[in-house]
Amino acid sequence: MGKYDTATLRNVGIVAHGGAGKTSLVEAMLFNTGMTDRLGKVDDGSSNMDFEPEEIKRKITISSSLHHCSWKDHSLHLVDTPGYSNFLHGTRNGLRILGGGVLIVSAISGVKAQTQKIWQWAQEYEVPLIAFVNKMDRERADFLRAVDDMEKMLDCRGVLVNMPIGSEANFRGIIDLVNMKARIFQFDEKGTYCEEEIPAEYLDEAKRLRVLLLEAVADADDSLMEKYLEQEDLSKEEILHGLREGTLTGVFTPVLCGSATANIGVRQLLDCIVYCLPSPIDKGTQIGTRPGTDEIVERQPSEDGPFSAMVFKTINDPFTGKLTLFRVYSGTLNSDSTVLNATKDEVERVGQLYQMEGKKQVPIDKAVAGDIVAVAKMKVTATGDTLCSANDPVQFESIMQLKPVISFALKACSKSDEDKIHTGLQRLIEEDPTLQISRDEQTHDLILSGMGQVHIEVAVEKLKRKYGVDVELQAPKVPYRETIKGRARLQNKYKKQSGGRGQYGDVWIEVEPLPAGGGYEFVDKIVGGVIPRQYIPAVSKGIEEAMQKGTLGGYPVVDVKVTLFDGSHHSVDSSEMAFKIAGSMGFKRAMEQCKPVLLEPIMQMEVIVPDECIGDVIGDINSRRGKVMGVEPQAASQAITAQVPMAEVLRYAPELRSMTSDRGLFTLEFSHYEEVPSHLTAKILSERNEQD
């Protein structure tokens, strides 16, 4: 990293819901810091960060991409993260290793559900954020409404560092509330501005907001509070100190504004990143354990300590091989050295180190604590693994992957595709662990599971582009569930005698429903030893196995409580197997008496469509048994939020493309289960029987 040390590093993620302008902001940062000589744009495919063909085609960020720049003697590692729900796993992985972040809040649409998730993850990983209200030059932009939405939806305290001069077509600059100066921009995409006195019509509002700024920074530091109460003012240095303290401690979130595509407000944001967000040293000690033990191990963010790092991303390329990206937590790593993969207890060879610049890799000699770097052709290392010094090993808690919510059956288009499909899929899973491959034991279908339909479609496109494997997506199987609405008490006695030692198990159970999401609860009320203690777990195990296939359509059973309250045993013939069978058979009999019902998965759906298509799309959602939860205006489009049964939107993509002339975009994520309407249950069960 040359002249930079750990104290001047900033690892910064740019985060928000899809379409808020994350990639455009990163492009503006790179341009303003001299890393690029033109302002890359998403719309024309010239972005440095969205370079995969699937990203260019859809004009969205699909996987996190990295770049770096320098600003005021600081080195910034920038991570452009996905915002659409199908790809948020990449954002979560990135937050695991970041120091701070910039949360983009759209001046048009405010805070979306995806932004709320990202905020929660940032809190979980203790990643302080700066907010940037983007798109102030767009139609329907409203700065204060966006800030209010952020405070309400994220339950945070926003502190304005600047304010806009005008909005929509009249947006022409920002007012710096720290220096109390106005910056009037020329809209030349170069970020050119003139610093002037604050226009008279904005002066009173600027003074009011500055008072709120001073009160907030005083709250963050006791010494500043004393001075503010005495003098009712603070110096620029004191304000900046208070902003930093408040950000790092989570007392408040600094809020700035501007337009990424017009390159307005970006330089002040860069200033705020440098003086508000933490260096690796500010983040402090990283806690891990000694591999194979519970011994706590601490790693200080020092260049002189033992080397340790966390792998957060893997890139597979059929030509250059596997590229492993990791964040260094402590020590120094040189090219052409060896490290220990503590997660797999394997020694790995580290060849040439690289710093990522979008799709390019720039060779570097070494990496120090805080750096984010890449290395090629590691053999066993995967996302979530810990790399460390073999002489002083440590293992960090691995990255928890989100669970897939939708599945498709894959059919190879030819014999050659069938031969290559498993190798290609394994390479994709190395890049994206949220993809899962399984084989349906009943149908023998190869099942690809992911975070949504777009996620699966992108994986299939990559499979063909990268590995030459052409497959067809077939209708996925809806993961129905069964539950009960009534209760039953019964005895089930399993008795078998065929010469010699027999089998005897006798149980009395009560089966009743639990609230939605209750899962399975087993209650042991056996007293007096009527069933020996060693056989009671076998009863529960038999019930759990019976729950894997319900009595309606053979779907898994959820949300039931089973109480074992009586029974009997035989001193010779009783066994764990006998009581397991008795419990299983008893549960199946009881369920038939408990008014079993079918449950279907309900998906949270967001559809972004042109204004002129909204009526058709809402009508179509209603016809799919969907519930429209809200409609939010965006620039020349509308964002529809709805809850729709999964069975009704398995093939939604082509229908939406048809309705919107290929201008609509939607995302799906699992929400909850609901009871299937009675008039549809018979049809679903009939189709299930035909498949069997």
Side-chain angles (χ1 to χ4, degrees):
M1 290 299 296
K3 62 181 179 179
Y4 299 102
D5 58 27
T6 301
T8 57
L9 288 177
R10 298 290 185 271
N11 291 322
V12 184
I14 314 301
V15 299
H17 65 258
K22 298 181 297 298
T23 303
S24 297
L25 181 61
V26 175
E27 296 292 344
M29 289 179 174
L30 296 174
F31 179 70
N32 280 277
T33 56
M35 284 302 296
T36 58
D37 55 9
R38 59 178 175 80
L39 194 61
K41 295 184 180 296
V42 174
D43 289 342
D44 63 12
S46 63
S47 167
N48 293 278
M49 308 304 285
D50 287 350
F51 50 82
E52 293 278 4
E54 294 80 18
E55 293 176 317
I56 295 172
K57 171 186 173 183
R58 290 174 169 81
K59 295 182 171 58
I60 62 172
T61 300
I62 289 174
S63 61
S64 297
S65 53
L66 288 80
H67 217 299
H68 66 97
C69 60
S70 302
W71 186 253
K72 296 188 175 179
D73 296 325
H74 285 70
S75 178
L76 277 58
H77 290 156
L78 303 176
V79 182
D80 179 23
T81 65
Y84 288 98
S85 60
N86 278 220
F87 308 103
L88 282 182
H89 49 276
T91 304
R92 191 166 187 254
N93 290 359
L95 286 169
R96 171 68 172 80
I97 55 90
L98 288 171
V102 176
L103 176 74
I104 299 184
V105 180
S106 170
I108 304 166
S109 58
V111 172
K112 297 288 189 69
Q114 294 90 341
T115 311
Q116 289 178 288
K117 276 189 177 180
I118 293 167
W119 176 268
Q120 291 168 0
W121 292 335
Q123 302 301 299
E124 176 186 347
Y125 292 132
E126 298 181 348
V127 178
L129 300 175
I130 297 169
F132 183 76
V133 180
N134 193 27
K135 302 187 178 183
M136 283 304 306
D137 56 338
R138 305 286 287 274
E139 187 180 350
R140 301 192 190 101
D142 189 324
F143 176 62
L144 293 180
R145 182 187 65 193
V147 175
D148 183 62
D149 193 37
M150 180 190 83
E151 292 183 327
K152 289 180 179 177
M153 299 292 287
L154 305 180
D155 190 25
C156 68
R157 180 184 180 185
V159 175
L160 307 190
V161 179
N162 61 27
M163 62 174 282
I165 300 175
S167 63
E168 301 181 334
N170 296 319
F171 177 62
R172 52 198 180 94
I174 57 176
I175 295 172
D176 180 351
L177 297 174
V178 176
N179 297 298
M180 289 301 281
K181 293 289 184 180
R183 295 181 177 181
I184 308 300
F185 286 78
Q186 295 184 11
F187 284 83
D188 57 1
E189 294 189 351
K190 297 179 180 179
T192 308
Y193 66 87
C194 296
E195 191 166 274
E196 303 176 0
E197 295 301 317
I198 298 173
E201 64 269 30
Y202 292 98
L203 189 56
D204 288 343
E205 178 69 359
K207 288 180 178 178
R208 182 184 74 84
L209 295 177
R210 180 179 166 83
V211 169
L212 297 178
L213 169 63
L214 293 175
E215 291 175 350
V217 298
D219 282 344
D221 188 285
D222 291 341
S223 62
L224 294 181
M225 177 61 77
E226 291 180 13
K227 180 176 179 181
Y228 180 67
L229 292 175
E230 292 175 1
Q231 302 181 13
E232 295 187 352
D233 199 9
L234 298 170
S235 68
K236 175 183 176 180
E237 290 71 23
E238 289 167 332
I239 293 173
L240 296 181
H241 172 74
L243 279 172
R244 179 174 177 79
E245 287 297 312
T247 306
L248 296 185
T249 57
V251 173
F252 54 71
T253 301
V255 182
L256 300 93
C257 66
S259 169
T261 53
N263 196 9
I264 295 177
V266 178
R267 293 179 184 178
Q268 191 174 8
L269 176 62
L270 286 165
D271 290 341
C272 199
I273 288 172
V274 166
Y275 59 68
C276 279
L277 293 183
S279 72
I281 293 176
D282 295 318
K283 293 289 287 186
T285 303
Q286 185 73 18
I287 304 297
T289 58
R290 193 71 68 192
T293 73
D294 295 328
E295 178 190 349
I296 299 297
V297 179
E298 296 184 352
R299 285 290 179 264
Q300 302 295 331
S302 167
E303 301 175 23
D304 300 323
F307 168 73
S308 65
M310 166 68 77
V311 178
F312 69 97
K313 183 177 173 65
T314 303
I315 302 172
N316 262 312
D317 188 276
F319 303 105
T320 60
K322 184 168 75 171
L323 202 63
T324 302
L325 281 64
F326 54 89
R327 152 79 189 274
V328 181
Y329 281 120
S330 63
T332 300
L333 179 66
N334 296 306
S335 294
D336 298 320
S337 56
T338 57
V339 297
L340 173 68
N341 181 322
T343 307
K344 296 185 170 67
D345 193 25
E346 294 274 357
V347 174
E348 285 275 31
R349 172 75 178 174
V350 175
Q352 176 64 58
L353 292 172
Y354 298 99
Q355 191 168 37
M356 300 300 295
E357 294 184 357
K359 65 180 177 181
K360 296 191 298 183
Q361 301 107 43
V362 178
I364 57 174
D365 295 329
K366 69 174 184 177
V368 300
D371 270 337
I372 299 177
V373 296
V375 65
K377 299 180 180 178
M378 281 192 160
K379 293 182 179 179
V380 300
T381 300
T383 300
D385 288 355
T386 299
L387 302 176
C388 62
S389 168
N391 297 327
D392 194 354
V394 63
Q395 183 173 351
F396 300 122
E397 183 180 359
S398 187
I399 298 170
M400 296 295 292
Q401 298 299 337
L402 301 177
K403 295 182 179 179
V405 298
I406 194 169
S407 301
F408 282 78
L410 299 183
K411 181 181 179 182
C413 293
S414 67
K415 181 64 170 67
S416 62
D417 292 322
E418 191 172 331
D419 294 337
K420 297 183 293 184
I421 189 170
H422 287 284
T423 301
L425 287 172
Q426 288 303 320
R427 294 288 183 269
L428 288 181
I429 292 172
E430 284 182 348
E431 287 191 40
D432 184 355
T434 56
L435 289 170
Q436 292 185 6
I437 296 295
S438 60
R439 179 75 69 174
D440 190 301
E441 294 181 359
Q442 294 182 349
T443 65
H444 305 294
D445 287 339
L446 185 64
I447 304 297
L448 177 62
S449 303
M451 304 306 298
Q453 184 164 335
V454 178
H455 187 207
I456 298 294
E457 289 175 353
V458 167
V460 169
E461 290 174 17
K462 284 186 177 181
L463 190 63
K464 183 175 182 179
R465 175 174 62 86
K466 285 188 170 185
Y467 306 106
V469 180
D470 200 3
V471 298
E472 292 180 2
L473 285 177
Q474 298 185 329
K477 295 173 176 58
V478 177
Y480 291 106
R481 299 286 185 265
E482 296 180 26
T483 191
I484 56 175
K485 300 182 73 174
R487 63 174 61 199
R489 291 165 64 100
L490 56 75
Q491 177 190 26
N492 192 82
K493 184 182 293 185
Y494 175 67
K495 186 176 181 181
K496 186 176 182 181
Q497 192 72 42
S498 58
R501 181 175 177 175
Q503 295 286 348
Y504 182 91
D506 178 24
V507 298
W508 279 88
I509 60 173
E510 180 179 32
V511 180
E512 56 190 309
L514 285 175
Y520 165 61
E521 181 181 345
F522 179 77
V523 180
D524 172 16
K525 286 191 176 180
I526 294 298
V527 294
V530 292
I531 298 178
R533 308 307 305 173
Q534 67 266 29
Y535 297 147
I536 292 175
V539 178
S540 179
K541 187 173 182 181
I543 293 169
E544 288 186 74
E545 289 186 2
M547 289 174 61
Q548 298 305 308
K549 289 189 175 183
T551 57
L552 279 178
Y555 298 106
V557 181
V558 295
D559 305 335
V560 295
K561 176 181 177 181
V562 181
T563 302
L564 176 64
F565 63 89
D566 201 357
S568 63
H569 73 285
H570 189 280
S571 59
V572 175
D573 292 346
S574 287
S575 66
E576 289 188 5
M577 180 58 68
F579 275 97
K580 179 180 175 182
I581 294 172
S584 175
M585 294 173 61
F587 177 78
K588 290 178 180 178
R589 286 180 53 210
M591 189 174 171
E592 292 174 351
Q593 303 175 26
C594 289
K595 301 177 183 176
V597 295
L598 203 60
L599 300 176
E600 64 179 342
I602 305 298
M603 309 301 288
Q604 183 78 16
M605 182 164 70
E606 183 180 67
V607 191
I608 300 175
V609 298
D611 290 335
E612 62 270 23
C613 301
I614 187 168
D616 291 340
V617 174
I618 288 179
D620 181 71
I621 290 173
N622 291 333
S623 72
R624 296 172 186 270
R625 299 189 286 127
K627 301 174 186 175
V628 175
M629 314 301 290
V631 179
E632 291 281 344
Q634 295 190 351
S637 64
Q638 302 283 336
I640 305 165
T641 305
Q643 291 186 343
V644 190
M646 179 189 286
E648 303 289 345
V649 288
L650 292 175
R651 289 293 192 182
Y652 188 63
E655 285 90 345
L656 182 64
R657 282 196 290 266
S658 176
M659 283 185 288
T660 62
S661 301
D662 206 17
R663 291 179 295 163
L665 183 68
F666 80 102
T667 57
L668 283 174
E669 59 182 358
F670 172 74
S671 176
H672 62 282
Y673 273 90
E674 283 185 6
E675 183 178 342
V676 176
S678 56
H679 68 280
L680 294 176
T681 299
K683 178 182 177 183
I684 294 169
L685 295 178
S686 174
E687 291 175 352
R688 170 77 167 182
N689 291 332
E690 290 177 4
Q691 292 173 1
D692 292 343

